[in-house]
Amino acid sequence: MAARRGSALTAGFSASVRGFDDGASGCEQIEGSLKKKNKYGVWQTRFFWVNNQYLNYGPDKSKHEVSKSFNLQDVSSLDIKDKYGVLQLTFIDGTELSVKASNVGEANHWCTQLRQRVEYYQRLEKEMDLNHVEDNDEDEADFTGWLKKKSPGIGENWQERWVEVHLGRGTLSYYKHKSNPGQPADPQGVVHLSGLGWCRMFNKSDVCDEFEFISGDRAFRFKADAHAKAEKWVKVIRTGMKRSEARGEEEHRAKEALNASQPVREYDSYATEEGRLDAATEAVDMLFMSCDGQDIACVTQAVGFAAEELTALVEDTKAETARPARLDVLSFHLSLYHERCESEIMRVVGTHFRDTASNNDIYQLIEVIQRYSAMLTEISSHLAEEARPPNAVIKMVGALSDQFVGLPEEQYPNGVVSVLKGIFARTAEHQMRVGGTEVRQNFEDGEVFTTIVSDVWSHISTQRGLARKTGSAALRYRVIEASLGALRQMIQKLKRDNKERGATDQNLGAAYICATINNVNGHMQQLEDLMATLEDDGHAASGEVRSKIGPLVEATQEALTDYAGSGVSVLSSIIIADLRETFDKFFDADWASGNSPAEVVTATIDDYLSEYEASLTDYWVSKLALDATARAVVTYIKRLEANLHPMKKSKAFLMGRYLKLKSTGVVERIKADMDEFETKLSRRLSRGGGGPRPGPFRMLDDIKVMLDGDTDVMLATILAAAATIPGNAPEGMGLRQGLEAAVERWV
């Protein structure tokens, strides 16, 4: 049996006593005041703390003075003695230490922490296998003799001491009396040779019989009875220092082995590389045993398991207290797992898969490649660059993304582009077919809408969600690009239908047109949410996607605004169509007698706008008011121009029945009509607090100036009036050209 080191130390403490706890045990560095029973049975308050395998105590918490230190490796029993919180430690040499905590809870805590530390360091001792050290059996010293020790006191007297050096223990002990066989004496002091800074002769004289060594901050000086004997003591102590150093290195290696994770211990347990490789390959085969090259779900699951194993291995091989990093183990396993993962993924991405896979399967495959690639990058970052395995499967994402998005469409009819185009086209056709029969109304504000917004964006969200989960910025961009492109195509189709049927097809009706206009608000909100999601979701690829997607969103917003404008045009054309017979009454005999239909026009427009207010948002009601007013003004000017200069072969021309500005009251009645238009319709056209005067009223202003002005003013104002006529108004361009051509006739 290996010689023990002795349970209690009183002088020359080792670095493990005074130094920093290396944290190898993973135990709490517990400390605090406890009461200690001395040899007379008196309880004395002392400050206790642990450091490595030692339990130390001193007079106060400064820890500057170590009164005594106990080696926890030598604890044979550790228990709470009674209900008052007395903790008793018994050591293998029979030494006992009784301490009392302030309460039972504190005593239990000390007991638990000390027991964990005792168990760790006793396991460490077994790991070190001390039996191979060449030392004496039991407690027999390797070198002994009487020496004179210089007292550290004021007088610095020389005192006779019996000195023993135990190489196995790594200690030098000194006594007042020589120990008798079977009756070991208590040492005056014990110095750990591992804690010595140096040991040397006191001087270089050939007759010097003194030597000295330093332990921590204390110097020890001894005197032999001859020069040769002093040199012998120095040689023995230096031998002990070397053995202690070797023991320290051995202890360090033992701690590394003891603290190593299970995968590292298993890796080191194989004597040959071949055996290690066979065992690891068998473990990898178990993960992928269900993979057949066809079922992507099995591959996804197996790759996920591999990622979990490797992620755990990163933790198991990283450097920690008393445990070095084992990147060789990580590199070994990563190489095996990576080779198998790539092989299984490539098997799935075969010709048969790519020709028959559904969009959902493609998404799953892109997702597993992206996730695996991200994991591979993360784990490889712990290795040196030359040890990182190359990623071949990531190159497949581009081709798979083309298939997922569906470009070219003729090659991938199941891609996002084709799928969304088909869904949106059917949705638009259904809306155009059912028209106003499926218009719904919001009970809170009365606004009408159709379900096309929720129908369309639910499909877009589904495709976006699939792309987002893959982690591919390029794929996310392309899916959003395809979605917005399909949305714009659907909008153009609905816009054409509005223009072609909106004002004439009773199946559509005004409620349907109002619903399509309000739908634009829903689409706009979805676009805003899309951009906000890309900004706020924290996904690494979102910023890149957002910067590229902005122009596509703006183009879609423009298309939506144009689509809503076409709906507004349909509604205003319905209003003007209802007033066609009323406009025909302008400038007839009844009008000339002072009965102008201008009030009927303004009242009718106002009634329509009031009706639409219940179905449209305020923004679109104001847009409709402007468009309807412009159309009414244009229609009035057309009637005015036609009555001023009828075609020469017309009945009115031949009979002289046309409007003559110089006739009494004609100009005044025209101005009165214009005033009626502005007075009654201006409240609908908010100018936003000082903004430009609405276009229709600027046209009326020009006509008024023309009626009062001379030839040059008339020429300028008529051209200005022509320029303000909206190009999107019915026959607006024709009216502009007609007014310009009529300048010469009017002048």
Side-chain angles (χ1 to χ4, degrees):
M1 178 177 135
R4 306 301 303 186
R5 289 167 299 283
S7 301
L9 311 178
T10 57
F13 303 105
S14 71
S16 292
V17 177
R18 282 192 178 277
F20 291 104
D21 190 300
D22 61 15
S25 66
C27 301
E28 178 186 340
Q29 289 182 259
I30 190 170
E31 62 179 33
S33 295
L34 298 172
K35 290 185 177 180
K36 170 191 165 293
K37 181 182 285 188
N38 65 16
K39 61 183 180 181
Y40 303 109
V42 178
W43 291 101
Q44 300 170 315
T45 300
R46 296 290 184 266
F47 189 81
F48 283 79
W49 70 94
V50 292
N51 205 63
N52 298 308
Q53 70 265 40
Y54 295 99
L55 172 63
N56 313 312
Y57 73 83
D60 54 55
K61 63 181 180 181
S62 67
K63 305 179 188 176
H64 291 157
E65 180 181 343
V66 180
S67 300
K68 211 162 203 178
S69 183
F70 296 87
N71 192 333
L72 296 176
Q73 280 182 317
D74 296 334
V75 171
S76 59
S77 66
L78 170 61
D79 295 291
I80 295 179
K81 190 175 181 180
D82 56 32
K83 63 181 181 180
Y84 300 108
V86 175
L87 181 65
Q88 182 165 308
L89 295 86
T90 303
F91 297 86
I92 57 176
D93 63 357
T95 303
E96 291 186 351
L97 172 65
S98 296
V99 294
K100 183 191 293 185
S102 60
N103 55 65
V104 176
E106 184 182 6
N108 282 325
H109 184 62
W110 272 92
C111 185
T112 300
Q113 294 302 318
L114 290 177
R115 184 172 284 125
Q116 290 178 1
R117 195 170 284 261
V118 167
E119 291 173 354
Y120 174 81
Y121 280 101
Q122 289 181 350
R123 289 200 312 271
L124 177 64
E125 187 173 32
K126 291 179 181 179
E127 186 75 31
M128 292 176 65
D129 189 17
L130 298 179
N131 289 322
H132 77 279
V133 178
E134 297 179 2
D135 53 22
N136 296 325
D137 290 339
E138 302 299 336
D139 291 331
E140 185 178 346
D142 294 273
F143 197 69
T144 63
W146 286 101
L147 294 172
K148 290 182 179 180
K149 174 181 171 291
K150 197 161 193 176
S151 170
I154 298 176
E156 294 189 346
N157 298 320
W158 289 98
Q159 301 168 328
E160 291 281 348
R161 293 291 183 262
W162 176 257
V163 182
E164 297 179 354
V165 174
H166 290 260
L167 296 179
R169 297 180 185 177
T171 62
L172 180 149
S173 306
Y174 53 91
Y175 306 79
K176 283 186 176 183
H177 308 287
K178 182 178 179 179
S179 300
N180 295 321
Q183 294 181 341
D186 289 334
Q188 291 292 106
V190 179
V191 178
H192 263 239
L193 302 181
S194 62
L196 301 189
W198 41 258
C199 179
R200 66 193 179 191
M201 296 295 290
F202 185 67
N203 60 51
K204 296 181 179 181
S205 170
D206 292 340
V207 296
C208 177
D209 57 1
E210 298 178 25
F211 66 91
E212 62 181 353
F213 54 80
I214 188 167
S215 176
D217 57 359
R218 181 179 175 185
F220 290 81
R221 188 172 168 187
F222 289 88
K223 180 181 178 68
D225 55 9
H227 174 75
K229 287 187 177 180
E231 285 187 327
K232 178 63 174 177
W233 278 100
V234 170
K235 183 177 180 180
V236 171
I237 293 172
R238 286 178 175 175
T239 300
M241 291 172 64
K242 289 180 180 179
R243 286 198 183 186
S244 295
E245 182 179 356
R247 179 184 174 84
E249 293 175 355
E250 183 181 357
E251 182 176 343
H252 179 72
R253 290 192 296 271
K255 286 180 179 179
E256 289 183 356
L258 186 62
N259 292 341
S261 63
Q262 178 60 33
V264 172
R265 287 198 295 270
E266 186 175 345
Y267 178 89
D268 290 337
S269 67
Y270 292 96
T272 64
E273 184 70 19
E274 183 179 0
R276 183 181 295 130
L277 184 61
D278 289 343
T281 301
E282 183 179 352
V284 173
D285 289 341
M286 288 292 293
L287 284 182
F288 288 88
M289 63 183 301
S290 62
C291 298
D292 58 2
Q294 300 294 324
D295 191 345
I296 189 172
C298 290
V299 174
T300 301
Q301 185 181 50
V303 170
F305 287 153
E308 291 176 3
E309 291 287 332
L310 290 171
T311 301
L313 194 60
V314 169
E315 295 298 315
D316 290 335
T317 57
K318 72 180 183 180
E320 289 187 354
T321 304
R323 191 183 85 180
R326 291 297 303 273
L327 298 183
D328 57 325
V329 180
L330 177 62
S331 179
F332 171 79
H333 285 90
L334 177 59
S335 176
L336 289 178
Y337 279 110
H338 176 60
E339 181 180 352
R340 188 58 176 271
C341 286
E342 285 203 333
S343 174
E344 294 298 338
I345 290 173
M346 288 179 176
R347 285 179 64 196
V348 176
V349 189
T351 303
H352 175 70
F353 174 83
R354 286 189 279 109
D355 289 345
T356 60
S358 68
N359 225 31
N360 191 58
D361 287 341
I362 298 170
Y363 145 67
Q364 291 185 49
L365 189 55
I366 293 175
E367 181 184 29
V368 72
I369 291 175
Q370 289 290 129
R371 288 187 176 180
Y372 175 71
S373 298
M375 181 274 299
L376 179 64
T377 301
E378 167 61 24
I379 293 178
S380 296
S381 67
H382 298 278
L383 303 175
E385 189 169 351
E386 61 273 12
R388 300 172 186 174
N391 187 354
V393 295
I394 194 65
K395 300 176 183 178
M396 302 176 182
V397 173
L400 289 169
S401 296
D402 287 340
Q403 185 175 352
F404 183 87
V405 176
L407 295 173
E409 293 181 58
E410 59 274 12
Q411 184 176 348
Y412 301 117
N414 295 325
V416 172
V417 173
S418 298
V419 169
L420 290 182
K421 280 185 176 180
I423 292 173
F424 292 178
R426 291 190 295 273
T427 301
E429 289 168 1
H430 173 76
Q431 177 168 296
M432 292 185 297
R433 183 173 62 255
V434 301
T437 61
E438 289 193 3
V439 170
R440 302 183 182 184
Q441 188 172 30
N442 189 324
F443 291 105
E444 293 182 2
D445 52 25
E447 296 172 7
V448 293
F449 62 94
T450 69
T451 61
I452 194 169
V453 176
S454 58
D455 293 342
V456 164
W457 282 93
S458 65
H459 291 290
I460 293 178
S461 297
T462 298
Q463 300 301 330
R464 281 184 56 220
L466 292 177
R468 183 187 185 280
K469 290 181 180 179
T470 66
S472 169
L475 183 58
R476 294 183 74 191
Y477 168 75
R478 298 185 68 187
V479 167
I480 296 176
E481 179 185 40
S483 301
L484 297 185
L487 177 61
R488 289 195 297 274
Q489 286 191 2
M490 183 194 75
I491 291 169
Q492 291 299 324
K493 186 172 186 177
L494 292 172
K495 176 184 173 183
R496 287 193 299 271
D497 183 66
N498 274 358
K499 288 186 174 181
E500 293 170 1
R501 300 193 299 151
T504 57
D505 193 334
Q506 294 300 316
N507 184 45
L508 297 183
Y512 168 76
I513 300 300
C514 288
T516 63
I517 295 173
N518 288 332
N519 286 343
V520 169
N521 295 333
H523 288 301
M524 291 289 195
Q525 184 61 54
Q526 291 290 341
L527 290 173
E528 291 181 10
D529 293 344
L530 168 63
M531 296 300 289
T533 300
L534 292 176
E535 183 175 1
D536 298 337
D537 69 357
H539 195 284
S542 295
E544 181 180 352
V545 175
R546 191 175 190 276
S547 64
K548 293 182 178 180
I549 222 70
L552 300 180
V553 170
E554 291 177 2
T556 307
Q557 289 172 330
E558 291 176 3
L560 286 167
T561 300
D562 194 34
Y563 170 47
S566 71
V568 169
S569 295
V570 170
L571 292 179
S572 61
S573 65
I574 291 175
I575 297 174
I576 299 305
D578 192 27
L579 289 169
R580 183 174 294 111
E581 293 183 1
T582 303
F583 275 107
D584 288 340
K585 295 178 180 179
F586 278 102
F587 314 119
D588 60 9
D590 199 25
W591 176 84
S593 65
N595 296 319
S596 173
E599 291 186 9
V600 176
V601 171
T602 57
T604 301
I605 293 176
D606 193 66
D607 288 343
Y608 269 104
L609 293 177
S610 296
E611 179 182 345
Y612 291 143
E613 277 182 331
S615 302
L616 291 174
T617 63
D618 292 342
Y619 176 81
W620 292 115
V621 171
S622 64
K623 289 291 184 183
L624 175 58
L626 180 62
D627 196 84
T629 300
R631 287 173 181 272
V633 170
V634 167
T635 303
Y636 179 84
I637 294 175
K638 287 175 63 177
R639 294 290 189 275
L640 173 61
E641 195 273 340
N643 280 276
L644 285 171
H645 298 284
M647 295 180 64
K648 291 185 178 180
K649 293 184 179 181
S650 66
K651 182 178 179 181
F653 180 81
L654 294 175
M655 297 180 66
R657 296 177 181 173
Y658 54 88
L659 196 61
K660 300 176 180 62
L661 293 178
K662 294 183 179 181
S663 299
T664 303
V666 170
V667 171
E668 287 72 16
R669 280 191 287 276
I670 293 174
K671 288 183 178 181
D673 291 340
M674 295 179 179
D675 289 339
E676 171 68 17
F677 288 146
E678 179 171 2
T679 301
K680 297 295 179 63
L681 299 178
S682 61
R683 69 181 184 87
R684 294 283 187 178
L685 306 179
S686 174
R687 287 182 280 172
R693 184 168 171 78
F697 297 153
R698 293 200 302 271
M699 294 171 61
L700 296 178
D701 293 340
D702 291 339
I703 297 300
K704 291 177 182 178
V705 173
M706 179 190 71
L707 294 173
D708 293 335
D710 56 21
T711 301
D712 292 334
V713 174
M714 189 180 300
L715 175 62
T717 54
I718 194 65
L719 292 176
T724 60
I725 297 175
N728 64 347
E731 304 179 26
M733 187 60 68
L735 176 59
R736 180 181 295 114
Q737 294 169 346
L739 287 177
E740 291 172 350
V743 170
E744 294 182 3
R745 299 201 309 271
W746 285 33
V747 174

